[in-house]
Amino acid sequence: MLRVGLSGGIGSGKSTVARRLAEHGAVVIDADRLAREVVEPGTDGLREVVAAFGEDVLDAHGALNRAALAAKVFGDEQALATLNGITHPRIAARTAELIAAAPEDAIVVHDVPLLVEKEMAPLYHLVLIVHADVDQRLARLRGRGMAEDDARRRIAAQADDDRRRAVADVWLDNSGTPDLVLARVDALWADRLVRYEANVRLRRHASGPPIVVPYDETWPVQAARVAARIRLAAGGRRVEHIGSTSVPGLAAKDVLDFQLAVTSLDEAAELEEALTQAGFPGLGIGEDTVRHGGDDQSRWLKRLHAGADPGRRVNLHVRVEGGPGWTWAMRFRDWLRADARARDEYAAVKRELSERHRGDADGFAYGDAKEPWMDAATARMDAFYRDGHTS
Ligand code: ADP
């Protein structure tokens, strides 16, 4: 099962996108609809709302009068907390029920207007944001019959584009005609979501050839998103963005590397299932190959995981915090961040080797070929820290 979070400002075209995903077979869970369902006539939810706020929140037919209720909670934090205390647990329970009822190979799309505001992004394998400019959204909402000042008020109450961009794994621009965005949804479904779902279910990671590309300014933001997911799956443990993509200016394979801190390899093994479910299947035990002087080799063991998303490759090294592998990775990153000459030299070595190993589908031969340079670099790095630099 793949969990996709879908959001976007009001009028951006979120419902249009959700409908198309449903046509492809996605199980769409509409958070707004559930919010209405839990207070429909005849529900416990509505009875509790009436008990807390009085009969005057009902209309003549005994249904909830939203405007009357809104007037009672507006600007009153305690009243709002009371209302949320009634509705939120019911919405959450119903959402969990619908997810549990979905088939094992489902692509579940959770349509949540306030996904960004409620900081829900790390819960999903992928977050999809639909975007259109404010003026376009106002025009479309007018077309749907909403009064302009009402539309403006709703837009102002929502997150801004910068916050949305930060959590978007996929940014779907809907400023063109509906056909354009729907074609992009079709491609996203076939090229990414279907393959991602299969990978998660079958515990496969995404792979690709070791092609070195110029430094990408968006790597830190992408890394922050992925790190938040890993951290959540790993019970809040420390996650560090490491490797070439963590060094500004350095050319690299488009694969984000992370290390997750554990206190022992046994603890790493206990996290395997949660990380796999979160989209980072385990590859077993690995050994860090850069070693120095007579260290006990078992201390260089780690558990390896890799990302299942075909649109965002990730390597995840689960290492004992403060152990030699952990420390080496942090020092190597910080040395390359500090030393422009080493950075340029490393980029040249990587480019040459990636050219030579173009046909290497998983990058292992490329990785091995880098080892001699890495060994020499480790000695230079040690000298750098001996000279009084601190990591
Ligand atoms: P949301 O769910 O984000 O509030 P909707 O999907 O309901 O937005 O879209 C808002 C309105 O704009 C709807 O009437 C919809 O038909 C229309 N709409 C959506 N996408 C486009 C587009 N690309 N061009 C023109 N109108 C659009």
Side-chain angles (χ1 to χ4, degrees):
M1 175 180 297
L2 193 74
R3 292 184 309 275
V4 176
L6 170 65
S7 196
I10 179 165
S12 60
K14 199 167 52 67
S15 313
T16 306
V17 167
R19 265 195 305 278
R20 183 63 147 223
L21 289 166
E23 281 168 22
H24 280 292
V27 174
V28 176
I29 301 176
D30 180 336
D32 269 352
R33 201 169 78 199
L34 295 189
R36 288 191 298 272
E37 282 177 10
V38 298
V39 287
E40 266 173 4
T43 58
D44 284 355
L46 186 56
R47 270 190 289 282
E48 281 199 29
V49 168
V50 171
F53 295 95
E55 294 280 342
D56 52 340
V57 298
L58 295 178
D59 65 16
H61 309 285
L64 187 62
N65 177 341
R66 283 174 190 281
L69 180 60
K72 290 202 182 218
V73 299
F74 185 78
D76 181 343
E77 267 182 42
Q78 197 155 9
L80 185 61
T82 302
L83 177 61
N84 289 342
I86 298 169
T87 56
H88 286 182
R90 290 180 163 82
I91 298 168
R94 186 71 188 125
T95 305
E97 213 173 273
L98 291 171
I99 291 175
E104 190 199 2
D105 62 354
I107 295 174
V108 174
V109 174
H110 196 192
D111 176 347
V112 190
L114 297 182
L115 183 148
V116 178
E117 294 80 348
K118 292 187 180 166
E119 300 178 350
M120 292 167 72
L123 289 168
Y124 304 99
H125 291 108
L126 183 131
V127 169
L128 180 55
I129 301 286
V130 187
H131 169 77
D133 290 335
V134 170
D135 288 342
Q136 267 178 323
R137 289 159 58 193
L138 286 170
R140 289 174 190 171
L141 290 171
R142 232 183 349 259
R144 216 167 59 178
M146 190 181 285
E148 168 131 3
D149 55 344
D150 189 17
R152 280 193 189 278
R153 204 166 29 74
R154 286 169 193 244
I155 287 172
Q158 294 186 332
D160 59 27
D161 282 347
D162 287 345
R163 284 186 68 196
R164 287 206 183 94
R165 242 176 229 286
V167 301
D169 297 291
V170 176
W171 183 259
L172 266 184
D173 182 27
N174 184 26
S175 28
T177 64
D179 281 0
L180 282 173
V181 78
L182 295 179
R184 291 192 60 207
V185 173
D186 294 347
L188 174 72
W189 179 267
D191 297 342
R192 190 161 178 184
L193 300 184
V194 169
R195 293 165 60 203
Y196 193 175
E197 186 286 318
N199 283 348
V200 170
R201 180 166 33 89
L202 302 172
R203 299 163 177 266
R204 289 189 310 222
H205 63 280
S207 58
I211 297 168
V212 173
V213 298
Y215 180 74
D216 181 339
E217 301 283 343
T218 71
W219 278 336
V221 190
Q222 295 191 51
R225 273 200 299 273
V226 177
R229 264 179 202 129
I230 296 170
R231 198 174 299 119
L232 180 67
R237 286 175 175 75
R238 180 175 177 192
V239 178
E240 290 282 345
H241 180 204
I242 54 160
S244 296
T245 58
S246 70
V247 180
L250 184 57
K253 285 185 290 172
D254 191 7
V255 182
L256 302 178
D257 279 277
F258 297 89
Q259 62 183 357
L260 168 63
V262 287
T263 57
S264 69
L265 280 184
D266 287 342
E267 190 183 302
E270 284 164 20
L271 292 172
E272 170 148 6
E273 190 55 28
L275 290 171
T276 298
Q277 293 307 323
F280 307 96
L283 303 176
I285 291 194
E287 186 176 291
D288 284 316
T289 43
V290 183
R291 309 184 190 95
H292 26 185
D295 222 322
D296 169 5
Q297 269 186 226
S298 69
R299 295 183 60 228
W300 288 87
L301 296 179
K302 62 181 170 186
R303 289 193 79 92
L304 257 176
H305 290 251
D309 180 0
R312 170 30 63 223
R313 288 177 56 206
V314 167
N315 288 329
L316 172 58
H317 311 263
V318 187
R319 291 185 173 121
V320 174
E321 187 170 10
W326 172 279
T327 305
W328 187 89
M330 298 298 281
R331 285 163 53 114
F332 189 62
R333 177 190 74 186
D334 295 340
W335 172 56
L336 286 176
R337 281 178 175 175
D339 186 332
R341 211 162 57 93
R343 200 159 61 224
D344 291 346
E345 195 186 305
Y346 187 33
V349 168
K350 291 201 295 182
R351 256 196 228 98
E352 196 226 308
L353 291 175
S354 94
E355 206 44 56
R356 205 185 305 158
H357 295 279
R358 250 180 203 290
D360 170 13
D362 51 24
F364 284 125
Y366 161 84
D368 286 346
K370 248 176 28 183
E371 284 308 317
W373 188 85
M374 295 296 245
D375 281 344
T378 299
R380 283 163 61 190
M381 175 181 90
D382 288 345
F384 171 83
Y385 287 113
R386 259 199 312 278
D387 285 348
H389 297 277
T390 47
S391 173

